[in-house]
Amino acid sequence: MNEIEITGTDSNIQREELKHSFGFKGGYLTELWQNIVHLKSKNGFDAIGMATQSVLYGDSNVFASTSEFNANALMYEVTNRALKRINGYQFDSPMVLLDQIIPQLYQEAKEITGIDHLNINFLYNALSSIDNALWLLYAAENSISTFRDMIPIPYKTALSHQNKKIAIMFQVSYDMSIDDIVKAADNGYFIFKIKTGFPGSPEEMLRKDIQRLTEIHQALKAIKTTQTPTGKLYYTMDANGRYPDKKTLLRYLDHARTIGAFDHILLYEEPFMADNNENVSDIGVLIAADESIHSEKDAYTKLNLGYGAFVLKGIAKTLSSTIKIAKIACDHQIPCICSDLTVNPILVDWNKNVAAAVAPFPSLGMGIMETNGDMNYKNWTTMKARHPYPTARWANAINGIFELDDHYYEKAGGIFDIPIYYRNLFKPRP
């Protein structure tokens, strides 16, 4: 592969308001910043990468330490520090470049935020726009035009599938009405991702989580679907690391059994707080790791604790780190799903490329991913119009799935086609 020298960097930000306060991880968001960067190379190529910032996801302590605006500004500052650091760098692999800069940037991010025990996810989120731009620059320099060809040889097997269907996890936030949940089922959605970990003490959290599951299951239990082998709708839960211990989780699952919801649970994402190292192999339901895996070492740790699935989040934790996690999952034959970060429409297809390339989920025979921007952004229609292929069949949900055809794979979901709207954010200065 060609050696690439970065000769110019720039950045921009767009603040996108949400329709309503969006609750998860014990907090609430009102807007999400779209972090956009521009890289130029010595050989005359350039690339525009983007990411959706979510400080609440990255580190809830940073989010709670200041205003929502200031928290976003702190993450954007980390991005700009990284851009300054890589200007003039030579590289032949985005993965190697990121590995080189992360240790020092992590220390700088601690200084910028004032949080000594900063969650590394904060840094990965801040680097995601740069990582995307590095991959696009790498592709341009090496005449690559498909996602499959962009993946380095050691990782190709893990990302070699071409799923024809991607099941969409429909996100159910703390405050979504039951009517809206039922409407989603009527519109064909058949996997419901239920946000658990309500704000409050562990006992308050569990009580509210149990009440919420009861309401949801009561509304959905009689609805059937043709998309699953059993005809049942499925649930996934995501506590975003809010449960203190296995005992608390088992009380929740016991309640699920009592009301008849347990057999509908496909998996439970990231239930425990960061310092919990309990083995989950005896819980009786598939437990998936998300926030707690940032590196290959983390992935092996979770495997040893009985975690049976990985949640890939290339749009939040960089494609470079995600590729490594996907390989470990493939090597150990455990399934992967792709989770969202309420990202913009173009990033939905970055995420979709990964969901399309990993092995299909065993009990469904298709990939699984979450996307919830359409239900949360105030200006989603305008944002969607900036996608290179906004009306393509594969770009729009049909009966709870994305249907992927040859055109999708030829165009890689449009990630290599940077719309003029984003190019105009970086017009040459006079």
Side-chain angles (χ1 to χ4, degrees):
M1 292 297 178
N2 296 334
E3 186 170 75
I4 304 161
E5 182 177 344
I6 299 170
T7 56
T9 66
D10 201 356
S11 72
N12 209 322
I13 207 79
Q14 291 191 315
R15 297 170 61 183
E16 290 292 348
E17 190 177 353
L18 302 180
K19 293 178 182 177
H20 40 68
S21 294
F22 177 36
F24 72 102
K25 212 170 185 177
Y28 288 88
L29 299 172
T30 65
E31 68 175 11
L32 286 165
W33 289 18
Q34 311 302 310
N35 179 325
I36 308 157
V37 304
H38 186 214
L39 303 182
K40 295 180 180 179
S41 74
K42 184 177 180 180
N43 292 329
F45 295 97
D46 74 324
I48 292 173
M50 62 188 72
T52 297
Q53 292 190 175
S54 182
V55 179
L56 180 55
Y57 169 81
D59 191 316
S60 58
N61 290 325
V62 176
F63 187 80
S65 71
T66 185
S67 68
E68 185 177 10
F69 178 92
N70 285 341
N72 272 301
L74 292 173
M75 183 175 281
Y76 185 47
E77 173 60 20
V78 174
T79 302
N80 284 307
R81 291 282 187 94
L83 287 172
K84 289 178 182 178
R85 184 169 292 276
I86 67 171
N87 199 11
Y89 258 61
Q90 294 180 348
F91 73 100
D92 58 12
S93 164
M95 299 169 76
V96 173
L97 175 55
L98 239 63
D99 287 342
Q100 290 174 345
I101 66 173
I102 280 176
Q104 183 58 42
L105 276 171
Y106 184 45
Q107 297 306 314
E108 291 187 37
K110 289 180 181 181
E111 295 170 6
I112 290 168
T113 60
I115 304 245
D116 190 51
H117 297 290
L118 183 70
N119 192 314
I120 192 70
N121 278 334
F122 181 92
L123 178 58
Y124 278 118
N125 194 179
L127 290 174
S128 290
S129 58
I130 296 174
D131 185 66
N132 281 357
L134 288 170
W135 280 106
L136 292 178
L137 196 60
Y138 167 86
E141 292 266 1
N142 291 288
S143 302
I144 294 170
S145 60
T146 68
F147 183 80
R148 171 178 281 194
D149 289 341
M150 191 170 68
I151 303 301
I153 290 174
Y155 306 93
K156 280 191 182 294
T157 299
L159 294 162
S160 63
H161 294 270
Q162 288 191 327
N163 288 305
K164 296 299 183 185
K165 294 181 179 181
I166 306 291
I168 301 170
M169 293 187 290
F170 183 89
Q171 188 185 82
V172 179
S173 64
Y174 296 151
D175 304 319
M176 180 175 284
S177 72
I178 295 298
D179 285 346
D180 284 344
I181 298 169
V182 172
K183 182 180 178 181
D186 291 341
N187 287 336
Y189 290 95
F190 56 96
I191 301 178
F192 291 81
K193 179 176 180 175
I194 302 168
K195 284 292 185 183
T196 55
F198 267 84
S201 68
E203 280 299 320
E204 291 173 319
M205 174 190 70
L206 181 61
R207 176 176 54 80
K208 292 176 182 177
D209 284 353
I210 284 174
Q211 180 181 347
R212 183 68 162 157
L213 178 60
T214 301
E215 294 170 348
I216 292 170
H217 185 60
Q218 183 64 33
L220 297 182
K221 64 182 181 181
I223 299 176
K224 301 297 181 183
T225 178
T226 59
Q227 301 281 22
T228 67
T230 62
K232 294 178 181 177
L233 302 182
Y234 284 120
Y235 313 145
T236 71
M237 287 82 183
D238 184 5
N240 288 111
R242 287 271 296 155
Y243 275 49
D245 50 41
K246 187 161 69 172
K247 181 180 178 181
T248 306
L249 177 60
L250 289 173
R251 287 171 61 192
Y252 178 87
L253 294 175
D254 284 344
H255 177 74
R257 287 187 179 91
T258 299
I259 65 172
F262 186 83
D263 290 342
H264 292 256
I265 299 176
L266 199 62
L267 56 84
Y268 200 118
E269 283 186 47
E270 202 64 57
F272 301 130
M273 295 178 177
D275 59 355
N276 184 291
N277 291 312
E278 294 178 277
N279 191 288
V280 300
S281 59
D282 60 348
I283 283 182
V285 70
L286 193 64
I287 304 297
D290 178 4
E291 289 99 318
S292 59
I293 47 173
H294 327 104
S295 66
E296 292 160 296
K297 180 182 176 181
D298 294 330
Y300 285 118
T301 297
K302 290 301 178 181
L303 287 173
N304 291 333
L305 291 175
Y307 284 71
F310 289 159
V311 180
L312 304 179
K313 218 161 191 163
I315 39 76
K317 293 192 287 190
T318 74
L319 180 64
S320 291
S321 66
T322 296
I323 287 172
K324 298 175 184 178
I325 306 303
K327 182 181 186 302
I328 294 171
C330 178
D331 291 345
H332 291 81
Q333 297 183 314
I334 69 167
C336 291
I337 64 173
C338 289
S339 190
D340 198 23
L341 197 72
T342 313
V343 295
N344 65 56
I346 290 176
L347 289 170
V348 168
D349 274 294
W350 275 91
N351 214 21
K352 197 187 297 176
N353 270 290
V354 177
V358 297
F361 198 84
S363 59
L364 290 177
M366 62 182 81
I368 302 178
M369 69 175 285
E370 174 193 6
T371 176
N372 60 64
D374 58 331
M375 66 177 73
N376 286 303
Y377 282 111
K378 181 174 285 189
N379 297 318
W380 179 258
T381 301
T382 300
M383 296 166 72
K384 184 68 179 286
R386 298 168 190 157
H387 190 287
Y389 303 98
T391 61
R393 183 177 176 85
W394 47 259
N396 296 278
I398 301 171
N399 292 322
I401 63 172
F402 288 119
E403 297 182 359
L404 309 184
D405 54 18
D406 290 342
H407 181 255
Y408 173 82
Y409 285 104
E410 289 167 8
K411 298 297 181 181
I415 66 170
F416 296 105
D417 301 301
I418 303 301
I420 192 66
Y421 173 84
Y422 292 104
R423 288 208 169 274
N424 286 341
L425 296 178
F426 301 99
K427 287 183 177 179
R429 292 181 177 88

